Amino acid sequence: MAAFIFFVIMFTLMASTTPRADAAETSAAAVVIRVDQSGKGDYKKIQDAIDAVPSNNKQPFFILVKPGIYNEKIIVPGDKPFITVSGSKTNSTVITRNDSGNIIESATFTVLASNFVGRYITIKNTFRRHGIQAVALRVSGDKVVFLGCKILGYQDTLLDENGRHYYRGCYIEGAVDFICGNAASLFEVCVTYVTRISVE
């Protein structure tokens, strides 16, 4: 428990920084990978940048995502800890999919690794039908942090599955069971918004 409290305090201090504390300020401590759909970065897709991180890495990797709408299904594997995925502005860096039917497999963004940080990104699952699971974000790694993010969906938006997690300054939206799971999580200065349930 004491270790988790220390972890939360550490990332609370991180959260007090602005989005401008990006790759330029983290490059001394981390390997920086830039994702840019225009082709001006190291990769055009976020998943390609994650795939480039070596398995069982011990060095932090900072993936800076330029503004854009990324229609991707993201998985951060369990053997790739110490990754940060960061946008510069939450509303302009959007990861989106339209998937449904299985609470595990439908997730737009899945974090299985420990020591992961997500910053200033929007994660969406645009599927909307009552009674059908459609996860936007699934978090199953330990010691995972999301700062200033938007997590948008309809049913089971945030599957806070397992591990210890910290959400600060996040906006989470859904209609049915939209925060669920067995994780030990702290939500600080977050907004939850219930959308209208539509029954066909």
Side-chain angles (χ1 to χ4, degrees), residues 14 17 73 78 84 138 166 184 200:
M14 284 179 55
T17 63
K73 196 174 186 73
T84 295
R138 174 190 172 204
Y166 177 53
E200 295 183 356

Side-chain angles (χ1 to χ4, degrees), residues 15 18 31 35 40 45 56 78-79 93 102 115 136 147 151 159 174 181:
T18 66
V31 176
V35 178
K40 295 179 181 179
K45 294 184 177 181
N56 303 311
D79 63 351
T93 308
N102 183 295
N115 298 287
L147 307 173
I151 307 162
L159 176 54

Side-chain angles (χ1 to χ4, degrees), residues 15-47:
S16 66
T17 63
T18 66
R20 293 179 182 177
D22 58 10
E25 296 180 16
T26 57
S27 59
V31 176
V32 178
I33 301 176
R34 292 174 175 81
V35 178
D36 189 338
Q37 290 177 324
S38 71
K40 295 179 181 179
D42 301 300
Y43 297 95
K44 292 183 178 181
K45 294 184 177 181
I46 300 167
Q47 187 64 57

Side-chain angles (χ1 to χ4, degrees), residues 3-20:
F4 183 54
I5 292 172
F6 172 78
F7 174 78
V8 169
I9 292 171
M10 179 180 67
F11 279 103
T12 300
L13 294 173
M14 284 179 55
S16 66
T17 63
T18 66
R20 293 179 182 177

